[in-house]
C-alpha cells in the first residue's frame, strides 16, 4: 500500500513537471512569436502625427522621415484609392514608407475627411476636390524647412488615377508612382463587373441580369436621378447609401485620358497586376503609353501574379495565409520586387538631381 502511494506521488510530481515544462515552452514560443511580430512591424523611419491647416483644409496627417542623415528630404505625398482610408491604410502603407525612407524620402499621408475623427466627409468630394486637397498639402510641405520643395512627388493607387494628373495641372510635381490606376470610371466599372462574374462562374442568365441592372444604374446616373429614384428603380437600393450615390453621381464621368498629358515628361512609374479584377491593367497600360511615352519618362512594371493592391496571388487565394503574413511578415505581402522597384526608382531620381 505504501509503495503504491509513493509511486503515485512520484507520478504526480512527474505530471506537474511535465505541465511546468509545457507551460514554459509555450511561454517561450509565445514570447518568441511576439518578438517576431514586434520586429517585423518595426520600421526604419521616424513617424510624426500632425494636423495640417492649409488652403481651407484641415488634414489629420502622418509625416515619416528617414532616420538620421540629411536635414532636408524629398517627399512622397500619398493619394488614397476609394473607400474610408485612414492615414496609414491600417498600417498597410508602412512597408512602402520604409522603402521610401531607405531611398532618402519622407512620406506624407492623411486620414480621408470623416475617417478616424477627421473633419468632413470623403463621400462629399469630387475628384477635383480631392486634387485641391492634395495641392494644399503640397503647399504646406513646401513651407517646411525639412522638405525639399523642388522634389515633391505623388504616390497613388486605383482611384488616385483620376486625382494625380489634376494635381499636376494645379502645381508641379517631380514624379508620380501610380499603382493599378484607373482611366475611365464607367469602363472600369464594367470591367470589374465582368471580372467578378467570371470569378464567380456566373451562369449566362445571371450575367445578363447583372449587366442589365448595371445598365439601369448608368441610365439613372445620366438622368441625374435622386437617391430616392434610384432606390425605387432598384427595389431595395442594393446596399447603396445616399452619400455613396451622391459620390458616384459627382464622379462617374471621370476620365484621366486628357489630364494625363499634364504628366508628360514627368518621371512616372506605373505598377500593374495580372490578377487585378478592379482595373483593366491592359487598358491602363495602353492609355498611359499613348499619352506619356512621347515624353520619354514612363516606366511600367507588370506583376503577373499580383492583385489590385500588388499582393501576391498565392496569399490572395488563402485568407489564412494572407492574415498570418500581414501579422508576421508584412513586407512579404507584396509581389517580389514591388518595394525594391519603388526604392530604386526614387534612388534613381535622387542620383539625377
Amino acid at each position: 500500500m505504501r509503495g503504491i502511494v509513493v509511486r503515485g506521488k512520484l507520478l504526480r510530481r512527474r505530471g506537474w513537471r511535465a505541465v511546468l515544462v509545457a507551460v514554459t515552452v509555450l511561454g517561450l514560443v509565445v514570447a518568441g512569436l511576439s518578438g517576431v511580430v514586434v520586429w517585423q512591424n518595426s520600421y526604419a523611419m521616424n513617424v510624426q502625427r500632425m494636423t495640417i491647416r492649409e488652403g481651407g483644409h484641415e488634414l489629420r496627417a502622418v509625416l515619416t522621415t528617414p532616420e538620421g542623415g540629411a536635414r532636408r528630404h524629398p517627399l512622397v505625398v500619398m493619394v488614397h484609392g476609394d473607400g474610408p482610408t485612414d492615414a496609414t491604410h491600417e498600417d498597410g502603407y508602412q512597408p512602402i514608407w520604409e522603402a521610401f525612407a531607405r531611398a532618402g524620402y519622407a512620406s506624407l499621408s492623411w486620414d480621408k475627411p470623416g475617417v478616424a475623427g477627421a473633419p468632413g466627409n470623403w463621400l462629399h468630394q469630387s475628384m477635383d476636390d480631392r486634387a485641391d486637397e492634395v495641392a494644399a498639402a503640397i503647399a504646406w510641405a513646401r513651407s517646411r524647412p525639412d522638405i525639399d520643395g523642388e522634389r515633391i512627388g505623388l504616390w497613388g493607387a486605383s482611384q488616385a488615377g483620376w486625382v494625380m494628373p489634376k494635381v499636376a495641372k494645379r502645381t508641379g510635381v517631380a514624379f508620380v508612382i501610380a499603382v493599378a490606376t484607373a482611366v475611365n470610371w464607367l469602363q472600369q466599372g464594367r470591367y470589374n463587373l465582368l471580372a467578378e462574374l467570371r470569378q464567380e462562374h456566373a451562369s449566362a442568365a445571371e450575367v445578363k441580369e447583372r449587366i442589365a441592372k448595371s445598365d439601369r444604374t448608368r441610365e439613372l446616373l445620366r438622368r441625374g436621378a435622386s437617391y430616392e429614384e434610384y432606390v425605387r428603380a432598384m427595389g431595395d437600393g442594393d446596399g447603396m447609401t445616399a452619400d455613396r450615390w451622391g459620390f458616384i453621381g459627382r464622379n462617374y464621368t471621370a476620365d484621366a485620358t486628357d489630364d494625363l498629358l499634364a504628366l508628360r515628361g514627368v518621371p512616372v512609374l506605373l505598377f500593374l497586376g495580372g490578377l487585378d479584377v478592379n482595373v483593366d491593367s491592359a487598358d491602363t497600360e495602353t492609355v498611359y503609353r499613348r499619352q506619356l511615352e512621347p515624353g520619354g519618362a514612363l516606366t511600367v512594371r507588370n506583376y503577373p501574379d499580383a492583385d489590385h493592391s500588388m499582393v501576391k496571388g498565392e496569399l490572395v487565394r488563402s485568407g489564412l495565409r494572407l492574415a498570418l503574413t500581414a501579422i508576421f511578415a508584412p513586407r512579404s505581402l507584396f509581389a517580389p520586387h514591388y518595394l525594391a522597384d519603388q526604392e530604386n526608382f526614387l534612388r534613381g531620381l535622387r542620383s539625377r538631381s
Side-chain angles (χ1 to χ4, degrees):
M1 187 75 175
R2 186 178 298 171
I4 294 173
V5 171
V6 170
R7 282 199 297 271
K9 287 180 179 177
L10 288 172
L11 287 172
R12 283 196 293 273
R13 286 182 190 135
R14 287 170 183 164
W16 277 112
R17 285 187 191 129
V19 170
L20 287 171
V21 169
V23 169
T24 302
V25 170
L26 179 61
L28 291 172
V29 169
V30 170
L33 289 175
S34 299
V36 169
V37 170
V38 170
W39 173 60
Q40 286 289 338
N41 289 274
S42 298
Y43 297 94
M45 58 191 179
N46 302 313
V47 181
Q48 307 171 59
R49 282 201 169 266
M50 57 189 60
T51 297
I52 295 173
R53 293 182 177 85
E54 180 76 30
H57 298 272
E58 181 179 319
L59 307 175
R60 307 288 174 83
V62 172
L63 177 67
T64 71
T65 53
E67 293 180 333
R71 293 185 178 180
R72 297 182 79 229
H73 308 285
L75 176 69
V76 183
V77 177
M78 311 295 286
V79 185
H80 304 307
D82 195 9
T85 312
D86 70 353
T88 72
H89 208 320
E90 297 181 341
D91 292 334
Y93 284 157
Q94 297 212 62
I96 300 171
W97 292 344
E98 183 183 54
F100 297 164
R102 283 198 300 265
Y105 282 69
S107 308
L108 178 66
S109 183
W110 55 89
D111 302 323
K112 277 191 175 183
V115 176
N121 185 337
W122 66 273
L123 284 168
H124 294 170
Q125 292 183 312
S126 66
M127 296 301 109
D128 281 306
D129 294 331
R130 294 200 61 200
D132 288 341
E133 181 181 89
V134 176
I138 290 174
W140 170 87
R142 285 183 172 140
S143 71
R144 290 179 62 91
D146 56 345
I147 299 298
D148 184 345
E150 298 300 314
R151 293 190 292 169
I152 297 178
L154 307 173
W155 180 101
S158 193
Q159 191 182 95
W162 296 305
V163 179
M164 294 189 293
K166 292 180 182 294
V167 175
K169 292 169 73 174
R170 287 161 170 73
T171 181
V173 295
F175 58 87
V176 166
I177 299 174
V179 182
T181 43
V183 174
N184 180 282
W185 184 293
L186 290 175
Q187 288 178 11
Q188 178 223 339
R190 182 54 54 89
Y191 171 84
N192 175 235
L193 172 62
L194 295 176
E196 288 185 346
L197 288 169
R198 284 193 299 272
Q199 274 194 339
E200 296 165 9
H201 304 290
S203 66
E206 186 177 358
V207 170
K208 184 177 179 180
E209 179 187 349
R210 295 273 294 275
I211 290 175
K213 190 174 184 180
S214 174
D215 288 342
R216 290 199 301 275
T217 300
R218 290 173 180 228
E219 181 56 31
L220 289 167
L221 288 167
R222 291 189 186 97
R223 291 199 290 103
S226 67
Y227 176 67
E228 290 71 25
E229 289 178 85
Y230 169 79
V231 171
R232 285 196 298 271
M234 307 306 287
D236 62 357
D238 200 31
M240 181 82 70
T241 66
D243 276 348
R244 184 69 186 181
W245 179 252
F247 180 76
I248 294 172
R250 276 185 289 277
N251 295 298
Y252 80 97
T253 60
D255 189 307
T257 304
D258 292 336
D259 288 340
L260 279 169
L261 293 174
L263 295 175
R264 186 170 286 183
V266 174
V268 174
L269 175 60
L270 173 64
F271 289 108
L272 299 167
L275 304 179
D276 195 336
V277 298
N278 296 79
V279 167
D280 185 342
S281 295
D283 178 68
T284 292
E285 180 171 1
T286 296
V287 175
Y288 270 63
R289 288 193 183 281
R290 183 175 67 240
Q291 299 298 82
L292 300 183
E293 277 191 335
L298 174 67
T299 302
V300 180
R301 292 285 183 267
N302 281 287
Y303 301 133
D305 193 42
D307 76 346
H308 186 57
S309 299
M310 301 300 120
V311 172
K312 295 173 183 174
E314 64 194 65
L315 299 179
V316 175
R317 292 184 285 270
S318 171
L320 177 60
R321 288 188 64 190
L322 180 64
L324 291 174
T325 303
I327 294 169
F328 291 105
R331 297 170 185 83
S332 299
L333 285 168
F334 302 108
H337 311 300
Y338 173 62
L339 296 176
D341 282 347
Q342 295 180 78
E343 180 181 346
N344 292 335
F345 173 74
L346 293 176
R347 284 186 185 277
L349 296 179
R350 290 201 74 178
S351 67
R352 295 199 297 268
S353 61

